[in-house]
Amino acid sequence: MSTTPPPQALNTGTQPGADELTADDGALAWLRALGPNGRRAFAGAFGGYALDSYDYFTLPLSMVALAAYFGLNSGQTGLFTTVTLVVSAVGGAIAGVFADRVGRVKALMITVITYAVFTVACGFAPNYETLLVFRALQGLGFGGEWAVGAILVAEYASAKHRGRTLGAVQSSWAVGWALAAVVYTLVFSFLGADLAWRVMFWTGALPALLVLWVRRRVHDAPEATAVREQNPQKGSFAAIFKPGTAESPGLLRTTVFAGLLSTGVQGGYYTLATWVPTYLKTERGLSVVGTGGYLTFLISGAFLGYLTGGYLTDVLGRKRNIWLFALLSAVCILAYTHIPSGANTLLLVLGFPLGFCMSAIFSGFGSYLSELYPTAVRGTGQGFTYNTGRAVGAVFPTLVGFLADSWGVGGALVFGAIGYGIAALALLGLPETRGKELA
C-alpha cells in the first residue's frame, strides 16, 4: 500500500513536501506525485478515453465496407463523422455542466455508458438513416468523456507536472486507436465485409466493464469538490459568456478564443483521422493488412507525440507548444498528401512524424483549458469550448468527403492544414497559464 501523502490539488506549491522532493526524480515523478487517489483517477480517465477512441475509430476503419454495403458516396460517408462531432458538442456541453453540478466521476460514468450503448447499437442498424441516428447518439457520450476525465485528473495534478500528466491521459487515445486497428485487421481478415463492420461496432461494448471499476474505486479530488460546491454559479453557461468589466475580466473572451483554438486543432485532426484509412485503400491501393501496417506507424507516432507534447507543454509553455506543432502538423499534411505514386515506402516513413505532430498539439489541451477556467465552471467551460470546436471542426471532414470525388481524397486532405492555421491565430487572444494553481 502506498504511503504517498494525500494530493494537494488546489495548492501544491506552498510548502516543499515529500512529493516535491521527488518531483524531478525520474520520468514517472508526475505519476507518483498524484498520490493513491489521483492515480486511480488517472487510470479511470486513461481507460475511459482509450475506449472512447476505440469506439470512435470503429467507424473510420469500417468506412469502405459501409459505403459498399449501403451504396454510399463520399459525401454521405463524410456525414457520419460530421454528425458524430456536431452532436458531441451538445453532449460535451451537457456533460461539462453535469460535472460541475454533481461531480466529475458521476459524469464520467454516464458518458462512458452512453457511447458504449450506441456504438453497439450501430452494429444492428438496418439502413443508412438508422446508422446515422445511432452514430449521432454515440456522439453524446463521446463528446463529454474527454473533458470530464481531463478535469478529474487536472484537479489532482500539481501545477509543475500538469502538462505531462494530462499529456499521458491524452496518449490513451492512441492506445484505443491501436486496439481498434488490431481488431479491424483481425475481423476484416476472417469475416466477410458485410458482417465484419457489424462485429466492429459490437465490440464497442468493452467500456461497460470500465464503469464497474470506476464506480467503486475513483473519487473526485476533495479540495476541488469543496471549492466547487461553495460557489452558487457552478455549472453556469451564463458565467462562461459573461463580458469583462472594469472590476472583473469576465470569461467571454476566453470562451470565444478557446473555442476557436479547439476548432482549428480538431478540424485538422479529424480530417486526417477520418480520411487517411480511405486514402490508403482507395488512392494508394493498400489491402486491409497493408492499411493496418501503415496505420501502425501513424499510431506509434501519435502515442509518442502525446507523451512528448505533454512534457514540452510544461517546459515551453502551453501556447508555444501549440504554435510549434500547429506549424509542423500543417507541413506534414502537405508532405504526406503529395508523395508521388509508387513511393509507398516514403508514405510509410512519413506516417510517423504525421502522427507525432498532430497528436503532440493535443497534449496541452487538458491542462490549458482546465487552467483557463475557475473551479466552479471548469467543466462547463472546458466541455463547451472543446466540443464546440469538435462540432465546427467537423465541417472539415465533410468538405473532404464532398471534394474527394473531384479532387481525390489526397488533394482534399490539405484542408486539414487550414485548421492548424486557425488554431495558431486563436492563441493571440489567450493568456499563457503554465504554473497556474487550480483554485
Side-chain angles (χ1 to χ4, degrees):
M1 182 174 180
S2 173
T3 58
T4 306
Q8 300 297 312
L10 301 182
N11 186 13
T12 57
T14 54
Q15 295 294 330
D19 285 346
E20 288 184 285
L21 291 176
T22 60
D24 297 317
D25 184 17
L28 295 179
W30 59 268
L31 185 61
R32 291 193 297 272
L34 285 171
N37 290 334
R39 286 193 287 272
R40 284 194 290 271
F42 174 85
F46 187 98
Y49 198 48
L51 293 170
D52 195 10
S53 170
Y54 179 89
D55 279 12
Y56 174 80
F57 279 106
T58 54
L59 176 65
L61 290 168
S62 304
M63 196 87 86
V64 173
L66 285 170
Y69 186 86
F70 291 116
L72 308 178
N73 58 38
S74 296
Q76 288 174 308
T77 52
L79 191 59
F80 278 127
T81 297
T82 298
V83 167
T84 302
L85 300 182
V86 169
V87 176
S88 77
V90 178
I94 293 173
V97 171
F98 202 60
D100 284 336
R101 295 186 178 182
V102 304
R104 313 324 191 189
V105 172
K106 289 181 181 178
L108 179 66
M109 290 190 293
I110 290 172
T111 60
V112 172
I113 290 172
T114 300
Y115 73 65
V117 167
F118 287 108
T119 298
V120 173
C122 286
F124 293 99
N127 51 51
Y128 170 71
E129 292 76 15
T130 303
L131 180 58
L132 196 63
V133 171
F134 284 154
R135 187 64 178 181
L137 293 173
Q138 188 259 9
L140 289 174
F142 169 72
E145 194 285 332
W146 178 84
V148 175
I151 293 166
L152 172 66
V153 177
E155 291 176 341
Y156 275 106
S158 68
K160 182 173 184 177
H161 294 298
R162 191 172 297 119
R164 68 201 76 182
T165 303
L166 272 296
V169 172
Q170 198 85 46
S171 72
S172 65
W173 181 265
V175 174
W177 189 3
L179 179 61
V182 170
V183 173
Y184 158 80
T185 302
L186 293 173
V187 170
F188 276 81
S189 295
F190 291 100
L191 298 176
D194 288 353
L195 175 61
W197 70 263
R198 294 187 184 276
V199 173
M200 280 294 295
F201 284 120
W202 291 337
T203 61
L206 289 171
L209 300 175
L210 175 70
V211 171
L212 298 176
W213 181 81
V214 169
R215 185 174 182 273
R216 294 179 55 194
R217 303 299 303 275
V218 182
H219 307 283
D220 289 3
E223 295 89 347
T225 300
V227 171
R228 187 181 71 249
E229 291 181 347
Q230 291 169 6
N231 194 311
Q233 278 198 310
K234 60 180 179 290
S236 168
F237 280 119
I240 68 169
F241 286 103
K242 184 178 180 180
T245 65
E247 294 77 22
S248 172
L251 291 171
L252 176 61
R253 178 188 175 91
T254 295
T255 299
V256 170
F257 281 99
L260 190 61
L261 172 66
S262 183
T263 296
V265 171
Q266 297 197 79
Y269 179 85
Y270 284 108
T271 295
L272 293 170
T274 301
W275 286 106
V276 163
T278 299
Y279 170 69
L280 292 174
K281 293 187 71 172
T282 60
E283 296 197 13
R284 310 303 299 206
L286 300 181
S287 65
V288 168
V289 175
T291 298
Y294 278 69
L295 289 176
T296 298
F297 271 73
L298 188 68
I299 295 168
S300 298
F303 180 75
L304 292 177
Y306 286 128
L307 296 179
T308 303
Y311 173 78
L312 290 177
T313 200
D314 280 335
V315 174
L316 300 177
R318 304 344 184 191
K319 295 176 67 172
R320 287 180 180 175
N321 183 71
I322 295 173
W323 263 321
L324 172 64
F325 287 107
L327 173 62
L328 293 178
S329 295
V331 170
C332 284
I333 291 175
L334 296 175
Y336 193 77
T337 55
H338 287 81
I339 294 173
S341 178
N344 283 353
T345 300
L346 182 58
L347 187 77
L348 180 72
V349 172
L350 278 181
F352 187 90
L354 177 65
F356 184 94
C357 293
M358 74 183 203
S359 299
I361 194 172
F362 266 107
S363 293
F365 262 57
S367 54
Y368 195 30
L369 295 181
S370 293
E371 292 160 354
L372 287 172
Y373 289 94
T375 303
V377 293
R378 186 166 293 129
T380 305
Q382 186 155 335
F384 178 84
T385 55
Y386 188 81
N387 289 288
T388 296
R390 264 183 178 165
V392 181
V395 173
F396 287 72
T398 301
L399 282 174
V400 172
F402 282 107
L403 291 172
D405 292 333
S406 56
W407 291 20
V409 176
L413 279 174
V414 298
F415 271 89
I418 297 174
Y420 292 115
I422 293 172
L425 291 175
L427 287 171
L428 298 175
L430 293 170
E432 176 58 57
T433 60
R434 180 176 57 167
K436 181 178 179 180
E437 300 291 347
L438 296 188

